[in-house]
Amino acid sequence: QVQLVESGGGSVQSGGSLRLSCAASGSTSRTYCMAWFRQAPGAEREWVGGIDSVGSTDYADSVKGRFTITLDSADKTLNLQMNSLKDEDTAMYYCAQKTVRTPDVWPQFSGGHCRSSNDYDAWGQGTQVTVSS
């Protein structure tokens, strides 16, 4: 089983930047999708972006061009660089991993996978990001 721990959240002014990290430990050898989600108060959890099983990255339209996801393969840390932050980016941010897959199916964005919270079976506790103008 994999354990995920997020860090790097905090408060920032609109237009500022933050970098979140997600450290993975435990059974990290089988990871098929990795992603960041966020959830604002009273809202549903939404996918922010991620990396699929063939290494492709994709982002939600609301963050495209502002957020960048990278993976440090050496220590399995998933990073989320957030620039040009807006008030509406305020949320609890969660990292997630998909560690179980259907035999003979490699989850890929092109196949419609890895964007739904239902695709993920491992979650971190979350880190709060607050953006104020």
Side-chain angles (χ1 to χ4, degrees):
Q1 198 154 0
V2 64
Q3 292 80 45
L4 304 174
V5 179
E6 302 95 338
S7 61
S11 297
V12 65
Q13 287 194 326
S14 179
S17 299
L18 279 176
R19 182 179 176 85
L20 307 184
S21 293
C22 175
S25 61
S27 301
T28 61
S29 61
R30 295 194 178 117
T31 300
Y32 304 109
C33 306
M34 294 171 283
W36 287 95
F37 287 79
R38 66 186 182 185
Q39 187 168 19
E44 293 187 357
R45 189 169 295 189
E46 65 171 345
W47 175 75
V48 173
I51 301 175
D52 68 11
S53 64
V54 295
S56 298
T57 55
D58 197 16
Y59 301 90
D61 288 343
S62 59
V63 306
K64 205 167 286 186
R66 300 188 297 121
F67 290 11
T68 303
I69 292 174
T70 57
L71 175 65
D72 185 333
S73 298
D75 60 7
K76 306 287 186 180
T77 297
L78 186 69
N79 301 301
L80 176 65
Q81 179 65 43
M82 305 185 293
N83 299 328
S84 302
L85 283 161
K86 304 175 181 179
D87 291 3
E88 53 262 41
D89 294 318
T90 294
M92 185 71 79
Y93 283 71
Y94 300 89
C95 68
Q97 288 191 8
K98 178 180 179 64
T99 65
V100 178
R101 68 177 179 92
T102 303
D104 299 326
V105 176
W106 289 92
Q108 301 178 44
F109 292 126
S110 61
H113 305 123
C114 305
R115 295 188 183 90
S116 168
S117 60
N118 293 330
D119 285 335
Y120 293 85
D121 51 87
W123 292 86
Q125 294 297 311
T127 186
Q128 178 68 38
V129 170
T130 303
V131 184
S132 57
S133 53

